[in-house]
Amino acid sequence: MMDVVVIGGGPAGMSAALAAGRGKKQVLLIDEEKARNAVTHASHAFLTQDGIKPEDFRDKGRKDLLKYPTISIKIDKVLSVEKAEEDSFEITVESGENITTKNVVLAAGLKEKLPDVKGIEYYYGSSIFSCPFCDGWEMKDKQLILITESSVGLHSAKLLKNWTDDLILATNGNEVFDADQKKLLEKNQIRLIEERIIELDGADGELQGVAFESGEKINISGGFCTTLLDKHFSLIDSLGIELGEAGFVVTDSLGRTNVKGIYAAGEITEPSQLIVSASQGHMAGIGIITDSSEAAFEGI
């Protein structure tokens, strides 16, 4: 019987494991090693770790965890989480092992879908990004393109204007903005191109040009795109965990879900930056220690 099983080895999962392990709980962190930020060359805006490579962040985090005899790490894929008897949960992993635990922290990342543009994955993480707070500084004052296939691109365009005044918004053949939104883009000197993108041009992951169906080609120094996130969390289908209107797991300030013994942190609750996910994981670890300490004190 484990005290805590953490599912997901990103910043949220590692932070939750560290806080719980330092609270004398026997913690097992299970990581599938399929991080969404694996394509990113550097992570930014994390104090003391600005510019660190995601794989280096993970390796340093694991070294921190394994300093504690209360924490262990298993590389495996979680197949199911089921409610067991006596306030416990049974977790089945791909290797065939069944693990019983008193508490579960859901900290698995999300899968994302890029815009339907041929070759965009070649540039994604090198010169095309999705988060201006993460990579806006590196792209500041450049001629940028924002590729979006939904109206959420308007919000992204507003943010990107903070970093550059030379911005083109391309919808890849989709008509996603109404007349008022188009006027707002024009007012802010953002050119809107609604033609389909037929080619991205560049070398070594560095975007240099974009060609459209009309034959127009534009020179560019990089860009951003909006992505679709897969919010279907198969692990929690049978647990009755509450989801919010946007489809993410609902938690309180200590990572508690509506199911006793199940906590959540990181992208599964709301996609955000590395430092925010780490903070959420830490608070989930505090939540576990708080709840178990109060229960023991009161003899529950």
Side-chain angles (χ1 to χ4, degrees):
M1 172 76 76
M2 300 298 300
D3 292 316
V4 184
V5 168
V6 179
I7 302 173
M14 288 193 290
S15 289
L18 184 60
R22 283 176 53 83
K24 297 176 64 177
K25 301 302 178 186
Q26 292 297 318
V27 180
L28 173 64
L29 183 146
I30 305 175
D31 187 19
E32 192 180 356
E33 293 193 327
K34 290 186 178 180
R36 185 163 68 94
N37 69 350
V39 301
T40 303
H41 291 187
S43 298
H44 296 285
F46 196 122
L47 196 61
T48 77
Q49 302 297 318
D50 187 54
I52 192 171
K53 294 180 180 180
E55 60 267 30
D56 291 343
F57 183 90
R58 181 197 64 191
D59 292 344
K60 291 178 69 175
R62 287 183 177 179
K63 287 179 181 178
D64 283 347
L65 297 184
L66 294 177
K67 291 188 296 186
Y68 296 90
T70 52
I71 303 174
S72 57
I73 298 172
K74 182 178 181 64
I75 307 305
D76 212 329
K77 179 179 180 179
V78 175
L79 299 179
S80 65
V81 180
E82 302 290 341
K83 193 76 173 68
E85 297 180 358
E86 297 181 358
D87 295 326
S88 63
F89 301 89
E90 185 171 287
I91 295 174
T92 303
V93 295
E94 196 169 52
S95 62
E97 184 178 358
N98 292 323
I99 303 160
T100 304
T101 181
K102 298 175 184 176
N103 301 283
V104 176
V105 179
L106 301 172
L110 301 175
K111 295 181 180 180
E112 62 185 354
K113 180 182 179 182
L114 298 174
D116 186 21
V117 176
K118 183 179 179 181
I120 193 172
E121 66 280 356
Y122 178 71
Y123 302 96
Y124 190 60
S126 298
S127 57
I128 296 178
F129 308 95
S130 60
C131 173
F133 296 104
C134 302
D135 300 288
W137 174 263
E138 285 66 36
M139 307 302 287
K140 69 182 188 304
D141 302 324
K142 294 182 178 181
Q143 184 181 24
L144 302 180
I145 188 168
L146 169 61
I147 302 173
T148 185
E149 295 177 329
S150 72
S151 59
V152 72
L154 182 62
H155 175 68
S156 298
K158 292 176 182 179
L159 292 177
L160 285 171
K161 283 288 287 184
N162 179 72
W163 282 275
T164 183
D165 287 323
D166 196 347
L167 180 64
I168 293 172
L169 198 161
T171 63
N172 193 33
N174 299 283
E175 295 185 8
V176 297
F177 300 114
D178 60 30
D180 290 338
Q181 291 171 328
K182 289 180 180 180
K183 287 180 181 178
L184 187 60
L185 291 170
E186 183 179 2
K187 179 181 177 181
N188 284 275
Q189 298 180 319
I190 298 174
R191 184 186 174 194
L192 174 64
I193 302 178
E194 295 181 305
E195 299 166 18
R196 189 171 66 87
I197 297 171
I198 61 171
E199 183 179 18
L200 299 177
D201 180 50
D204 299 323
E206 294 300 316
L207 182 66
Q208 298 171 347
V210 181
F212 294 90
E213 196 169 32
S214 66
E216 180 183 8
K217 296 181 179 180
I218 59 173
N219 295 323
I220 215 77
S221 300
F224 286 79
C225 68
T226 60
T227 62
L228 292 176
L229 297 175
D230 181 0
K231 293 176 284 187
H232 176 66
F233 310 119
S234 58
L235 294 179
I236 64 175
D237 285 347
S238 62
L239 295 173
I241 293 177
E242 180 185 358
L243 303 179
E245 290 184 6
F248 298 102
V249 174
V250 175
T251 67
D252 67 6
S253 61
L254 292 181
R256 303 181 185 100
T257 71
N258 62 307
V259 178
K260 183 181 178 182
I262 301 283
Y263 303 76
E267 291 186 328
I268 200 170
T269 65
E270 184 179 7
S272 191
Q273 292 177 274
L274 195 90
I275 194 167
V276 177
S277 291
S279 174
Q280 290 175 343
H282 181 73
M283 297 309 295
I286 288 177
I288 290 170
I289 302 302
T290 299
D291 293 343
S292 64
S293 297
E294 290 183 352
F297 197 80
E298 296 173 6
I300 299 175

